[in-house]
Amino acid sequence: MTTNRRREVAVIGAGVVGLGVAWRAAQRGMDVLVLERAASGQADGAASPVAAGMLAPVSEADVGERALLDLGLRAAAAWPAFSAELGDDVGYRTCGTLLVARGADEAAALEREQALRASLGLQADRLLPSAARKLEPALAPHVRAALHVADDHAADPRRLHTALKAAALAAGAEIRADADVARLTCDGTRATGIELADGTAIDAEQVVVAAGAWSGEALGLPPAARVPVRPVKGQIMRLRDPDGPGLLDRVLRFEGGYLVPRGDGRYVLGATMEERGFDTTVTAGGIYELLRDAIDLVPGIDELVIEETAAGFRPGVPDNTPILGRSPVIDGLVWATGHHRNGILLASITGELVADVLAGVREGATA
Ligand code: GLY
């Protein structure tokens, strides 16, 4: 049962980012209310339940994206303690990544990735195709080059979401389900709370927008106060090997996709990158492309059972770097969005960073 008292913090969004912020803020004694768009936390198109859960700071950042890379490396280093604090039930595992190339262009991209890692002092081993197949015997013989990143990790985003929800509640945060936010309420340039679509007013001293791909919506804000977040659609599929684990032990990355083993015979195959607005359809073309490439590289995938197909929206931003910190326009408004392809990785530090902002200890991710 939620009450309508004035809150210190209202968080719009109950994905891994919003729940992580709520958890850390509640741990610091703040009175926090989280507004969840759908009852189950599985809102249509939400990124958290669709994400594959690769924790791959270097292979997700382009050479020029230094700020994202630094944030990702900090987040990867924070993951062991983050996972342990959540009770070690979030599927965090060292599985390593095998990046494979089929043609000359892809092989050149692998060389760039290795050079980037080397410049950061990170280990990545160039493998001959024969050595790659020794590690992963299910690989097809036409792999041309491979890079092995032994210390890469993965986590299970659905288990993470469940654990964060439990942690936020245990720390004292309240979660209101089916809360359809209409707009932020302001007194001049000061945020005063939130109005829901059903007319309910929620008073809050500070409002955190952690609404994923929906964070760019107007929310009643003047244009200068909005953030340039857009949905970047990703189609994925979940596969299961009836024979159990063993087809593939490592995350496999290839041009246009990845295959993430959960370690129990289940795999996530992803993901398309599409600029189609809020379109949640799963298309024949999207699924065909994913399966075509995956089966080309690992023919045994042919035998797996398709358990689920889904589409989710990454919160895309122009420089691919999350927007974390105070609004320069509206007092009391704090952004926690724009995590694009890195929401699960960055979950390990986003909650703390934003709780620091709410506590007045810092302004943003770096300051
Ligand atoms: N992090 C992988 C993806 O967004 O597809």
Side-chain angles (χ1 to χ4, degrees):
M1 175 86 177
T2 58
T3 58
N4 282 339
R5 67 178 180 278
R6 182 174 168 77
R7 308 293 173 143
E8 285 177 89
V9 179
V11 181
I12 304 175
V16 296
V17 172
L19 290 171
V21 170
W23 176 37
R24 293 309 196 186
Q27 276 183 324
R28 296 182 192 208
M30 296 180 211
D31 181 12
V32 182
L33 175 66
V34 181
L35 300 168
E36 184 176 35
R37 201 155 45 95
S40 61
Q42 308 268 314
D44 211 11
S48 297
V50 174
M54 284 175 298
L55 309 177
V58 176
S59 50
E60 281 292 352
D62 282 338
V63 177
E65 294 173 349
R66 190 66 218 206
L68 176 61
L69 188 57
D70 289 345
L71 210 54
L73 290 171
R74 274 165 65 194
W79 249 96
F82 175 65
S83 143
E85 200 177 343
L86 285 170
D88 273 335
D89 194 27
V90 297
Y92 179 63
R93 49 195 290 269
T94 313
C95 48
T97 301
L98 204 56
L99 298 100
V100 293
R102 284 171 287 184
D105 288 356
E106 293 179 19
L110 279 194
E111 268 175 42
R112 283 197 297 278
E113 172 119 358
Q114 190 180 20
L116 174 61
R117 279 194 162 256
S119 73
L120 295 164
L122 301 169
Q123 179 80 25
D125 302 317
R126 193 76 198 254
L127 298 185
L128 289 172
S130 56
R133 292 190 68 209
K134 212 167 186 172
L135 281 183
E136 293 290 357
L139 273 179
H142 55 267
V143 165
R144 179 172 174 146
L147 199 60
H148 182 216
V149 182
D151 62 355
D152 260 4
H153 290 74
D156 184 331
R158 289 182 180 177
R159 283 162 66 179
L160 174 65
H161 186 264
T162 302
L164 281 171
K165 195 171 201 172
L169 288 169
E174 251 180 69
I175 300 174
R176 185 176 297 193
D178 288 324
D180 192 4
V181 172
R183 64 184 188 99
L184 248 75
T185 50
C186 292
D187 182 1
T189 56
R190 168 91 223 163
T192 56
I194 291 162
E195 187 182 303
L196 300 183
D198 67 5
T200 305
I202 292 163
D203 292 335
E205 284 165 32
Q206 302 194 76
V207 176
V208 179
V209 180
W214 291 266
S215 304
E217 290 189 342
L219 293 171
L221 294 169
R226 296 178 201 158
V227 287
V229 176
R230 68 186 197 285
V232 180
K233 177 180 174 180
Q235 299 186 48
I236 58 114
M237 59 198 315
R238 287 172 196 274
L239 304 165
R240 180 176 54 80
D241 192 335
D243 294 333
L247 179 68
L248 204 64
D249 291 327
R250 291 159 187 79
V251 171
L252 189 70
R253 293 187 71 122
F254 46 91
E255 178 72 25
Y258 47 78
L259 197 56
V260 181
R262 287 271 177 265
D264 59 1
R266 291 178 303 137
Y267 300 84
V268 180
L269 171 60
T272 62
M273 289 279 287
E274 301 171 67
E275 302 275 355
R276 287 178 182 269
F278 289 100
D279 161 28
T280 51
T281 54
V282 173
T283 63
I287 293 302
Y288 166 71
E289 281 176 27
L290 292 174
L291 278 176
R292 178 197 60 203
D293 288 345
I295 292 174
D296 181 49
L297 280 163
V298 183
I301 287 173
D302 220 20
E303 302 294 327
L304 305 194
V305 175
I306 297 174
E307 294 212 307
E308 182 186 339
T309 58
F313 303 121
R314 306 172 183 91
V317 278
D319 63 358
N320 294 337
T321 303
I323 302 168
L324 301 173
R326 292 196 176 285
S327 162
V329 181
I330 305 287
D331 293 333
L333 169 59
V334 174
W335 298 106
T337 188
H339 291 67
H340 195 224
R341 294 177 59 100
N342 293 291
I344 305 302
L345 170 67
L346 298 177
S348 64
I349 55 171
T350 296
E352 279 290 357
L353 288 173
V354 176
D356 275 355
V357 173
L358 292 167
V361 176
R362 66 164 76 228
E363 286 294 306
T366 50

